[in-house]
Amino acid sequence: MSGSGPVGQAPVQEQFGGMPRPLFPASPSKLLTWLDCPRRYRMSYLDRPRPESRAQRAHTSLGIATHNALRDWWDLPLARRTPAGGAELVRQNWIDVGFRDPDHSRRWRERTQQDVARYLEGVDPADEPRATERTVAFKTGTLTLQGRIDRLDERDGEVVVVDYKTSRRPSTEEDARTSLSLALYAVAAARMFRMPCARVELHHIPSGEVVSHRHTQESLAHKLREAESIARDAQRADGEFREIGIESTLFAPRTSPLCAWCDYRQHCLEGQRVGPEKSSWAALEGDESS
C-alpha cells in the first residue's frame, strides 16, 4: 500500500501502526550537513531534482587529487613506493578545476607534489596498511551509518583510523578529539574487523604533522549517542518534508560565515545577505575563515 507525497515526488511507502521506525540512512557528512545548515541539507539530500550547485572549488580539486595519489601509492610495487613516486601520482591525478588560471593550477600542483613527497619521506613503504579508501558501515537501533576511511593501519593488535587533511590550517589535537566522523569510523572499524579501535589520527599533508587522540569506550559511546540524536532530528525533518515538501519550517537556513562557501548559495537569499561569496581559490590562499 502506498501513499502520495508532495507534487513531483515519488510515492511514499506507508507504515502499519505499531511498526518500528525505519533506520535512518546516514553518513558522517550527512549528519554534519544537517548540523551546519538544514536548508543546505534539504537541497543536498531531499530536493528532487537537486538544485544546481556551483562548480567545484580549487581546494576540493587539490584534496581529491591528493587523496587519490596517497591511495594509489600503496598499489605500486614496493620498489616504486618512493616520495618521487607519490609526486608523480599527484601529477597523474591532478584535477584542473577551480583555479584562477592554468598557471595558478600548475603552481599548486607542483606545491602539492612537494607536500606529498615530503610527507611520504616519513612513511615506511613496507608497512602496508590494513586498508585504504575502505567503506565501513554499522547499524544501531536508530541509524545505519556508512562512510569511507582514508586509511586503516594495524598496530600492536589494534586498528588505527587515519584521515588525511589538505587544508592550509594544520590540524590540532582538539580536532582529532572532537571529530564526530573519526569517532564513528573507529566504532565501524572495530565492529567490522572485530579488533580494538580507539586511536584516531589526522595527517596534515602540507606540514607533515600528525595529531592523534585515543578514545575510551565512554567517549565513543558519547559520540555514538550524539550521532543518533542528530539522526533522529534529521529523520523527523525528512518525514515532514515527505508530507508537505518545501513548506516545512524545519529547513530554515543556519546562516554563518560558511554561507560564503556554500555550493547552493545562489538558491538562498539569507545566505547571500551574510556577505560576498568566496572565490573558487580562496581557501588555497589561506582565506578559510568560518
Side-chain angles (χ1 to χ4, degrees):
M1 179 165 49
S2 62
S4 299
V7 175
Q9 294 189 28
V12 178
Q13 186 71 30
E14 293 181 355
Q15 286 185 267
F16 294 104
M19 291 181 65
R21 180 189 292 266
L23 298 181
F24 180 74
S27 65
S29 60
K30 184 176 181 180
L31 296 175
L32 294 174
T33 299
W34 170 257
L35 280 185
D36 285 342
C37 179
R39 178 168 293 173
R40 181 160 64 92
Y41 171 91
R42 192 201 77 201
M43 289 189 282
S44 298
Y45 296 102
L46 301 180
D47 283 354
R48 293 295 180 270
R50 181 182 298 177
E52 181 181 0
S53 62
R54 75 176 318 282
Q56 183 167 285
R57 294 179 181 273
H59 69 272
T60 302
S61 297
L62 182 155
I64 294 172
T66 301
H67 280 73
N68 289 345
L70 292 171
R71 175 202 63 201
D72 294 347
W73 191 75
W74 291 105
D75 292 331
L76 294 174
L78 182 59
R80 292 174 55 197
R81 291 180 199 162
T82 63
E88 171 60 17
L89 287 171
V90 171
R91 188 191 67 78
Q92 294 177 14
N93 283 282
W94 192 248
I95 302 169
D96 192 17
V97 174
F99 297 89
R100 183 171 52 239
D101 52 46
D103 183 63
H104 189 234
S105 174
R106 177 190 58 79
R107 287 189 286 111
W108 275 100
R109 188 200 73 221
E110 292 174 352
R111 178 170 176 172
T112 304
Q113 288 180 276
Q114 294 170 3
D115 289 343
V116 168
R118 188 168 51 248
Y119 168 76
L120 289 173
E121 288 175 359
V123 177
D124 181 354
D127 187 15
E128 296 202 16
R130 183 67 181 265
T132 57
E133 292 287 341
R134 176 60 185 262
T135 297
V136 294
F138 68 88
K139 294 180 180 179
T140 73
T142 301
L143 58 79
T144 173
L145 186 132
Q146 180 171 299
R148 180 171 293 181
I149 302 175
D150 292 340
R151 195 174 96 203
L152 283 168
D153 290 350
E154 186 175 335
R155 306 178 203 156
D156 301 322
E158 70 173 0
V159 179
V160 178
V161 173
V162 173
D163 191 47
Y164 299 130
K165 292 298 180 185
T166 58
S167 65
R168 295 300 97 194
R169 180 182 70 85
S171 304
T172 67
E173 292 183 11
E174 183 73 0
D175 293 330
R177 183 184 69 81
T178 60
S179 170
L180 178 64
S181 300
L182 291 182
L184 295 177
Y185 290 151
V187 172
R191 295 189 183 187
M192 290 188 66
F193 290 96
R194 301 181 184 277
M195 295 178 65
C197 184
R199 183 181 176 90
V200 297
E201 296 180 349
L202 294 173
H203 290 212
H204 185 245
I205 306 305
S207 68
E209 295 181 4
V210 174
V211 297
S212 65
H213 176 71
R214 178 169 290 279
H215 278 285
T216 64
Q217 290 301 312
E218 291 75 16
S219 66
L220 289 175
H222 174 77
K223 287 295 187 182
L224 195 52
R225 289 193 297 270
E226 180 183 346
E228 290 180 317
S229 176
I230 299 169
R232 283 190 289 270
D233 289 344
Q235 186 173 43
R236 181 170 70 91
D238 286 11
E240 183 166 304
F241 183 80
R242 287 193 294 269
E243 292 293 328
I244 62 176
I246 61 173
E247 299 302 318
S248 171
T249 61
L250 298 179
F251 298 95
R254 185 169 293 129
T255 56
S256 75
L258 290 175
C259 294
W261 304 91
C262 183
D263 289 343
Y264 299 103
R265 175 186 169 87
Q266 62 180 312
H267 307 291
C268 180
L269 292 177
E270 293 90 340
Q272 294 172 29
R273 295 189 186 110
V274 171
E277 182 178 20
K278 299 293 185 181
S279 72
S280 292
W281 54 86
L284 298 183
E285 309 301 335
D287 187 4
E288 299 179 90
S289 56
S290 62

